[in-house]
Amino acid sequence: YKIIKKKTNMNTYILYSTRPIREGEEEGIDYHYVTNEELHKFTIEGKVIESRTYQTTKGPWIYATIDDEQLKKTGDIITIGTLESYRNIKKYYKSKESTKVVPIYISIDEQELRKRAIEREKRQKVPNYEEVERRIKADNIDFSDENLRRCGITEKETFYNYDLDRCVAQILNYIDKNKEINKKIEFGEER
């Protein structure tokens, strides 16, 4: 995801989270780190497009998409999220005919995912390997084949991260193709 962000000229939407900032992360780059009270204020203001709570080994952490200035930028926007967040963002934009939500699902072998997560966790002052395992188990449920089908994610939107460079190239090509389709629709041409 970080590589794709750097290789495109797309605007980036940064999610909000109540989880503590990890070693090496930056506010406004990785997430907007907010308190439960700040998130509650967004809810009262009607700015929460979607949110989800994870019961972690350190207590509940909330991740949310907030209707803020980031979404008011012109041009394409790229963000990261779960199938639940994709479904809710798609529902949010359904009434906005000029906006198309395009999924990109990146699949990775569970052993490779575990290896990368453990390596990232090793860099923390206080590694929490129990939380790594909880996240992997939760992801296996959240991103099950059944949930992918329910969201309409097909092989066309699925990219396998066995070879990082190849995967990135395939995703960039897919993004370019979708931009081209949107231009044709915008200018009244046939697909």
Side-chain angles (χ1 to χ4, degrees), residues 37-67:
E37 293 76 21
E38 289 169 313
L39 195 55
H40 182 67
K41 183 180 177 213
F42 287 132
T43 303
I44 291 169
E45 294 171 349
K47 292 184 175 184
V48 177
I49 295 172
E50 64 83 27
S51 71
R52 56 220 173 276
T53 303
Y54 295 98
Q55 298 303 326
T56 74
T57 59
K58 299 286 186 179
W61 292 344
I62 302 170
Y63 293 79
T65 304
I66 305 298
D67 188 354

Coordinates of all heavy atoms in Angstrom, one line a residue, residues 37-67:
E37 N -13.0 10.4 23.0 CA -13.8 11.6 23.1 C -13.8 12.3 21.7 O -14.9 12.8 21.3 CB -13.3 12.5 24.2 CG -13.4 11.9 25.6 CD -12.4 10.8 25.9 OE1 -11.3 10.7 25.3 OE2 -12.7 10.1 26.8
E38 N -12.7 12.4 21.1 CA -12.6 13.1 19.8 C -13.5 12.3 18.7 O -14.2 12.9 17.9 CB -11.2 13.2 19.3 CG -10.4 14.2 20.0 CD -8.9 14.2 19.7 OE1 -8.3 13.1 19.7 OE2 -8.3 15.2 19.5
L39 N -13.4 11.0 18.8 CA -14.2 10.2 17.8 C -15.7 10.3 18.1 O -16.5 10.4 17.2 CB -13.7 8.7 17.9 CG -14.2 7.8 16.8 CD1 -13.8 8.4 15.5 CD2 -13.6 6.4 17.0
H40 N -16.0 10.4 19.4 CA -17.4 10.6 19.8 C -17.9 12.0 19.3 O -19.1 12.1 18.8 CB -17.6 10.5 21.3 CG -19.0 10.7 21.8 ND1 -19.9 9.7 21.5 CD2 -19.6 11.6 22.5 CE1 -21.1 10.1 22.1 NE2 -20.9 11.3 22.6
K41 N -17.1 13.0 19.3 CA -17.5 14.3 18.8 C -17.8 14.2 17.3 O -18.8 14.8 16.8 CB -16.4 15.3 19.1 CG -16.7 16.7 18.6 CD -15.6 17.7 18.9 CE -15.9 19.1 18.4 NZ -14.8 19.8 17.9
F42 N -16.9 13.5 16.5 CA -17.2 13.3 15.1 C -18.5 12.6 14.9 O -19.3 12.9 13.9 CB -16.1 12.4 14.5 CG -14.8 13.2 14.3 CD1 -13.6 12.6 14.7 CD2 -14.7 14.4 13.7 CE1 -12.4 13.2 14.5 CE2 -13.5 15.1 13.5 CZ -12.3 14.5 13.9
T43 N -18.8 11.6 15.7 CA -20.1 10.9 15.6 C -21.3 11.8 15.8 O -22.2 11.8 15.1 CB -20.2 9.7 16.7 OG1 -19.0 8.9 16.4 CG2 -21.4 8.9 16.5
I44 N -21.2 12.7 16.9 CA -22.3 13.6 17.2 C -22.5 14.6 16.0 O -23.6 15.0 15.6 CB -22.0 14.4 18.5 CG1 -22.1 13.4 19.7 CG2 -22.9 15.6 18.6 CD1 -21.6 14.0 21.0
E45 N -21.4 15.0 15.4 CA -21.4 15.9 14.2 C -21.8 15.3 12.9 O -22.0 15.9 11.9 CB -20.0 16.6 14.0 CG -19.6 17.5 15.2 CD -18.1 17.9 15.1 OE1 -17.4 17.3 14.2 OE2 -17.7 18.8 15.8
G46 N -22.1 13.9 13.0 CA -22.5 13.2 11.8 C -21.4 13.0 10.7 O -21.7 12.9 9.6
K47 N -20.2 13.0 11.2 CA -19.0 13.0 10.2 C -18.5 11.6 10.1 O -17.6 11.3 9.3 CB -17.9 13.9 10.7 CG -18.3 15.4 10.5 CD -17.1 16.3 10.9 CE -17.4 17.7 10.6 NZ -16.3 18.6 10.9
V48 N -19.0 10.6 10.8 CA -18.4 9.2 10.8 C -19.1 8.5 9.6 O -20.3 8.3 9.7 CB -18.6 8.5 12.1 CG1 -18.1 7.0 12.0 CG2 -17.9 9.2 13.2
I49 N -18.3 8.2 8.6 CA -18.8 7.4 7.5 C -18.9 5.9 7.9 O -19.9 5.3 7.6 CB -17.9 7.6 6.2 CG1 -18.0 9.0 5.8 CG2 -18.3 6.6 5.1 CD1 -16.9 9.4 4.7
E50 N -17.9 5.5 8.5 CA -17.9 4.1 9.0 C -16.9 4.0 10.1 O -15.9 4.8 10.2 CB -17.6 3.1 7.9 CG -16.2 3.2 7.3 CD -15.1 2.5 8.0 OE1 -15.4 1.5 8.7 OE2 -13.9 3.0 8.0
S51 N -17.1 3.0 11.0 CA -16.1 2.8 12.1 C -16.3 1.3 12.5 O -17.3 0.7 12.3 CB -16.4 3.7 13.3 OG -17.5 3.3 14.0
R52 N -15.2 0.8 13.0 CA -15.2 -0.6 13.5 C -14.3 -0.7 14.7 O -13.3 0.0 14.8 CB -14.8 -1.6 12.4 CG -13.4 -1.2 11.8 CD -13.4 -1.4 10.3 NE -12.1 -1.0 9.7 CZ -11.9 0.3 9.3 NH1 -12.8 1.2 9.6 NH2 -10.7 0.6 8.8
T53 N -14.7 -1.5 15.6 CA -14.0 -1.7 16.9 C -13.4 -3.1 16.9 O -14.1 -4.1 16.6 CB -15.0 -1.5 18.1 OG1 -15.6 -0.2 18.0 CG2 -14.2 -1.6 19.4
Y54 N -12.1 -3.1 17.3 CA -11.5 -4.4 17.5 C -11.2 -4.6 19.0 O -10.6 -3.7 19.6 CB -10.2 -4.4 16.7 CG -10.4 -4.4 15.2 CD1 -10.3 -3.2 14.5 CD2 -10.7 -5.5 14.5 CE1 -10.5 -3.1 13.2 CE2 -11.0 -5.5 13.1 CZ -10.9 -4.3 12.5 OH -11.1 -4.2 11.1
Q55 N -11.5 -5.7 19.5 CA -11.3 -6.1 20.9 C -9.8 -6.7 20.9 O -9.6 -7.8 20.6 CB -12.3 -7.1 21.4 CG -13.7 -6.5 21.4 CD -13.9 -5.2 22.2 OE1 -13.2 -5.0 23.3 NE2 -14.7 -4.3 21.8
T56 N -8.9 -5.8 21.2 CA -7.5 -6.2 21.2 C -7.0 -6.7 22.6 O -7.8 -6.6 23.6 CB -6.6 -5.1 20.7 OG1 -6.4 -4.1 21.8 CG2 -7.1 -4.4 19.5
T57 N -5.8 -7.2 22.6 CA -5.2 -7.6 23.9 C -5.0 -6.4 24.8 O -4.7 -6.5 26.0 CB -3.9 -8.4 23.7 OG1 -3.0 -7.5 23.0 CG2 -4.2 -9.7 22.9
K58 N -5.0 -5.2 24.3 CA -4.8 -3.9 25.0 C -6.1 -3.2 25.2 O -6.1 -2.0 25.6 CB -3.8 -3.0 24.3 CG -2.4 -3.6 24.2 CD -1.7 -3.7 25.5 CE -0.3 -4.2 25.3 NZ 0.5 -4.2 26.5
G59 N -7.2 -3.8 24.9 CA -8.5 -3.1 25.1 C -9.1 -2.8 23.7 O -8.4 -3.1 22.7
P60 N -10.2 -2.1 23.6 CA -10.8 -1.8 22.3 C -10.1 -0.7 21.6 O -9.8 0.3 22.2 CB -12.3 -1.4 22.7 CG -12.2 -1.0 24.1 CD -11.1 -1.8 24.7
W61 N -9.9 -0.9 20.3 CA -9.3 0.1 19.4 C -10.3 0.3 18.3 O -10.9 -0.6 17.7 CB -8.0 -0.4 18.8 CG -6.9 -0.5 19.7 CD1 -6.8 0.0 21.0 CD2 -5.6 -1.2 19.5 NE1 -5.6 -0.3 21.6 CE2 -4.9 -1.1 20.6 CE3 -5.1 -1.9 18.4 CZ2 -3.6 -1.6 20.8 CZ3 -3.9 -2.4 18.5 CH2 -3.1 -2.3 19.7
I62 N -10.6 1.6 18.0 CA -11.5 1.9 16.9 C -10.8 2.5 15.7 O -9.9 3.3 15.9 CB -12.6 2.9 17.5 CG1 -13.3 2.3 18.7 CG2 -13.6 3.3 16.4 CD1 -14.2 3.3 19.4
Y63 N -11.2 2.1 14.5 CA -10.7 2.6 13.3 C -11.9 3.2 12.6 O -13.0 2.7 12.6 CB -10.1 1.6 12.4 CG -8.8 1.0 13.0 CD1 -8.9 0.0 14.0 CD2 -7.6 1.4 12.5 CE1 -7.7 -0.5 14.5 CE2 -6.4 0.8 13.0 CZ -6.5 -0.1 14.0 OH -5.3 -0.6 14.5
A64 N -11.8 4.4 12.0 CA -12.9 5.1 11.4 C -12.5 5.9 10.1 O -11.4 6.4 10.0 CB -13.6 6.0 12.4
T65 N -13.5 6.0 9.2 CA -13.4 6.9 8.1 C -14.3 8.1 8.4 O -15.5 7.9 8.7 CB -13.9 6.2 6.8 OG1 -13.2 5.0 6.6 CG2 -13.7 7.1 5.6
I66 N -13.7 9.3 8.5 CA -14.4 10.5 8.8 C -14.6 11.4 7.6 O -13.6 11.5 6.8 CB -13.6 11.3 9.9 CG1 -13.3 10.4 11.1 CG2 -14.3 12.6 10.3 CD1 -14.5 9.9 11.9
D67 N -15.7 12.0 7.5 CA -16.0 12.9 6.3 C -15.3 14.2 6.7 O -15.8 15.1 7.4 CB -17.5 13.1 6.2 CG -17.8 13.9 4.9 OD1 -16.9 14.4 4.3 OD2 -19.0 14.1 4.6

